[in-house]
Amino acid sequence: MKEKDELLRQKLELSGQGGGKARIEKHHKGGKLTAHERLNILLDPDSFEEIGALVTHRTKDFGMEKQVYYGDGVVTGYGRINDRLVYVFAQDFTVFGGSLSETHAEKICKVMDLAMKTGAPLIGLNDSGGARIQEGVRSLGGYADIFYRNVLASGVIPQISAIMGPCAGGAVYSPAMTDFTVMVEGTSYMFVTGPNVVKTVTNEEVTFEELGGAHTHATKSGVTHLTADDDVDCLKKIRNLVGYMPQNCEETTPRIQYEIKEEFRDQLASVIPDSAQKPYDMKEIIKGVADDNSFMEIHPEYADNIIVGFARLAGRSIGIVGNQPLSLAGVLDVASSKKGARFVRFCDCFNIPLLVLVDVPGFLPGTDQEWNAIITNGAKLLYAFSEATVPRVTLITRKAYGGAYDVMNSKHIGADMNFAWPSAEIAVMGAKGASEIIFKKEINEAADPIAKLKEKEDEYAEKFANPYSAAERGFIDEVIFPRETRRKLIKAFSMLQNKVAHLPKKKHGNIPL
Ligand code: HXC
């Protein structure tokens, strides 16, 4: 009994700090908080309950029986964020570099199983040197046990990964299979093979930061959805993110109290420039339709020709996908199609209605795009929208050209309400390109080909550079004025809130991955 009391005393003193004072100091000096400190910031005050604080590793090889730390390098349990239940694990780098042993993995799996049984989000704070080298295949098996659960949980409960230190080798595949990843600038990195292996195999010289730092993954690979300045910023961003999500796939999105007022927004009337060639910032439109300060952008630095993120509309969470005319004229390309598709699928998994803002001149031409499979990747976005059964509302602000018109949540692929501003142009292509093709002969034979082209351009624009042909056919439900957009959207989403739609019975579809 006395022995057990002693164990409990040690647990209280050492849980999550098994590495001892010196290691914690080193950890702090490197700009990192400990596992417990992180959980205290992530969770509501006094809400954390630890599970498995007395777990120790079982290995006796390599003198490991002499180094036993309670908790075994990971702190697991449950707590609350804004009074909603979440499950958590936080790897403790001060114990064997946060490396994953058989028992460390068992602890993570235990909270994953509880999260699934009770239908609550799982948040993992990753800070680990990877597989516990002394444990060999037992550690690899532990990773696979986690990967398997990540997949089973996908689409059932939201899963969020913070990368707050090293995350290398096969270990990266757990965050990769969760819904959102947030990386801390300067202290975190992710890669499958590190700089030394890269140098040996490809002779490239690259630093940890260049190869897999937060900035790299936010801008080049898109592996991370968000970056954070430091640990505190990262944990606050996760708290905010969770606020837009339901607890699981059977719940509707959280709603905060909102009283509908006069919802006109005059500033929207002046966003679209006079010239169709001039860019504007689609975020101005988002600001004008969403509740004040409610927009949280996801993937802000990657493929910024498309914008994705969460917002609230009259207090209700929605997902927004919008072309961004400020970047590459808002064209769809490989990266933006993948980014958009992934976000649409997340929203559809978790009953988050979708608002799609369209100003798209088409798909990006070029060998780079074709050889990098714009066909397959563009199809991802088309597929994701087509199979989404959540309420789907579209607003065409300006261009909706070619195949991109179809892809961007058109009526034809199942959108519920399609609005257009009077400035919308819905056509196979822009008036100039179209006239050059269909009136080629007439233009070439004209005494003044330039004047003829202009005349034909005007003729084409008159017919198609407006939303009315589409509205006559019902492809657009209503042409609305910019200032009344927010009001119309609130009404449309409210009308759609009890939408029920089922896909044909199947095991699962075969999205072009
Ligand atoms: C056991 C480990 C460890 C590991 C670190 N440590 N990684 N112990 N298994 N994987 C221990 C160190 O021995 C050290 O213990 C303490 O943690 C801190 O590590 P340092 O090296 O002093 O820290 P730092 O200088 O910050 O370097 C961090 C690091 C480095 C870059 C992560 O530790 C490292 O390269 N570790 C090995 C990474 C690795 O190759 N892992 C396996 C990847 S393969 P002491 O007692 O000296 O303080 C993999 C496969 C997953 O993960 C498969 C899934 C399918």
Side-chain angles (χ1 to χ4, degrees):
M1 197 61 193
K2 218 169 156 212
E3 208 176 287
K4 286 216 172 123
D5 287 350
E6 176 57 16
L7 269 180
L8 191 60
R9 192 190 64 74
Q10 284 186 23
K11 172 208 141 182
L12 293 173
E13 273 181 16
L14 295 176
S15 157
Q17 337 183 348
K21 231 174 157 189
R23 286 185 200 200
I24 292 170
E25 268 168 23
K26 191 177 162 207
H27 199 69
H28 279 159
K29 270 198 193 135
K32 303 202 300 187
L33 298 174
T34 64
H36 273 294
E37 287 165 344
R38 286 169 175 169
L39 290 175
N40 283 340
I41 296 167
L42 177 69
L43 302 170
D44 294 348
D46 296 325
S47 70
F48 180 56
E49 292 295 328
E50 189 166 352
I51 298 172
L54 289 178
V55 168
T56 54
H57 67 69
R58 302 188 186 107
T59 326
K60 293 201 167 58
D61 302 326
F62 308 105
M64 289 292 277
E65 74 277 13
K66 293 192 207 96
Q67 304 178 62
V68 174
Y69 300 111
Y70 292 107
D72 199 23
V74 65
V75 182
T76 55
Y78 63 95
R80 295 197 162 251
I81 293 182
N82 294 324
D83 209 23
R84 295 162 74 215
L85 175 67
V86 294
Y87 290 85
V88 288
F89 70 84
Q91 291 179 314
D92 179 358
F93 193 81
T94 67
V95 176
F96 302 119
S99 57
L100 187 131
S101 67
E102 185 180 27
T103 40
H104 177 131
E106 283 169 3
K107 285 181 68 178
I108 294 177
C109 289
K110 192 186 264 186
V111 284
M112 294 180 86
D113 291 343
L114 281 167
M116 283 287 275
K117 278 189 235 173
T118 59
L122 175 81
I123 301 167
L125 310 184
N126 296 268
D127 187 357
S128 166
R132 178 91 44 94
I133 295 165
Q134 296 90 334
E135 295 211 5
V137 71
R138 283 164 288 168
S139 163
L140 301 184
Y143 268 117
D145 290 337
I146 295 169
F147 298 156
Y148 183 57
R149 282 167 176 76
N150 284 134
V151 175
L152 295 183
S154 179
V156 180
I157 51 168
Q159 300 180 81
I160 298 171
S161 301
I163 314 297
M164 310 184 82
C167 182
V172 297
Y173 287 112
S174 174
M177 287 191 295
T178 62
D179 299 301
F180 294 100
T181 298
V182 188
M183 289 183 77
V184 181
E185 294 277 5
T187 52
S188 72
Y189 49 85
M190 292 178 87
F191 36 69
V192 173
T193 48
N196 293 342
V197 180
V198 170
K199 168 86 181 126
T200 312
V201 177
T202 69
N203 213 22
E204 287 169 287
E205 298 255 12
V206 64
T207 64
F208 279 61
E209 191 59 33
E210 285 163 352
L211 184 63
H215 182 70
T216 296
H217 284 310
T219 55
K220 286 186 161 55
S221 70
V223 163
T224 194
H225 298 83
L226 295 166
T227 59
D229 297 338
D230 52 31
D231 280 13
V232 175
D233 185 37
C234 172
L235 300 162
K236 287 193 169 159
K237 280 188 169 145
I238 293 174
R239 282 181 66 87
N240 196 21
L241 185 59
V242 170
Y244 293 96
M245 301 171 188
Q247 291 289 89
N248 57 62
C249 64
E250 288 177 23
E251 268 194 9
T252 51
T253 50
R255 194 176 175 184
I256 56 175
Q257 202 60 32
Y258 184 88
E259 218 166 282
I260 300 203
K261 310 176 270 278
E262 179 277 323
E263 302 291 351
F264 294 104
R265 294 287 183 271
D266 288 335
Q267 75 267 29
L268 288 174
S270 52
V271 178
I272 304 286
D274 295 337
S275 159
Q277 274 31 275
K278 268 200 189 154
Y280 63 92
D281 188 354
M282 187 61 93
K283 284 183 200 162
E284 290 297 315
I285 296 178
I286 294 174
K287 224 195 285 172
V289 296
D291 294 356
D292 290 345
N293 301 318
S294 72
F295 182 55
M296 181 175 192
E297 190 172 358
I298 302 296
H299 262 147
E301 296 175 284
Y302 179 73
D304 60 1
N305 41 330
I306 204 162
I307 303 167
V308 302
F310 299 105
R312 291 195 177 82
L313 192 64
R316 218 186 293 257
S317 286
I318 56 167
I320 298 181
V321 179
N323 309 115
Q324 173 57 292
L326 275 188
S327 173
L328 293 172
V331 78
L332 286 177
D333 58 2
V334 169
S336 61
S337 299
K338 287 199 282 191
K339 168 177 161 178
R342 177 97 181 131
F343 183 75
V344 168
R345 280 171 73 83
F346 175 82
C347 291
D348 192 44
C349 284
F350 293 106
N351 311 317
I352 301 175
L354 282 164
L355 170 63
V356 182
L357 302 172
V358 183
D359 187 346
V360 63
F363 282 93
L364 184 63
T367 49
D368 173 65
Q369 288 295 306
E370 297 296 343
W371 295 344
N372 282 296
I374 184 62
I375 297 174
T376 312
N377 289 298
K380 289 185 174 116
L381 186 57
L382 174 58
Y383 192 111
F385 275 128
S386 299
E387 78 168 354
T389 56
V390 286
R392 288 158 52 189
V393 177
T394 300
L395 169 69
I396 301 176
T397 58
R398 196 168 61 177
K399 294 171 193 161
Y401 287 168
Y405 156 75
D406 283 343
V407 170
M408 288 301 293
N409 205 35
S410 64
K411 196 80 178 168
H412 322 274
I413 61 167
D416 300 297
M417 282 299 284
N418 294 61
F419 295 109
W421 282 357
S423 49
E425 302 171 20
I426 305 170
V428 174
M429 59 177 74
K432 185 163 182 283
S435 308
E436 282 168 352
I437 296 170
I438 58 177
F439 303 116
K440 188 174 165 187
K441 211 162 157 235
E442 231 177 297
I443 293 166
N444 287 343
E445 285 167 3
D448 182 349
I450 295 174
K452 194 70 178 173
L453 172 62
K454 177 81 184 55
E455 178 197 317
K456 290 295 173 191
E457 238 181 279
D458 291 346
E459 197 182 307
Y460 189 86
E462 171 71 21
K463 185 143 184 66
F464 288 117
N466 62 65
Y468 301 109
S469 294
E472 277 163 24
R473 305 201 77 90
F475 301 160
I476 294 296
D477 296 297
E478 197 181 354
V479 179
I480 59 173
F481 290 110
R483 71 182 294 272
E484 60 179 345
T485 306
R486 174 174 161 83
R487 193 165 160 268
K488 291 277 181 189
L489 293 176
I490 291 173
K491 287 186 172 188
F493 279 112
S494 166
M495 174 271 286
L496 290 165
Q497 70 176 314
N498 294 326
K499 175 183 173 185
V500 178
H502 296 291
L503 296 173
K505 190 170 169 356
K506 58 177 114 174
K507 188 172 172 197
H508 58 71
N510 188 13
I511 188 165
L513 293 174

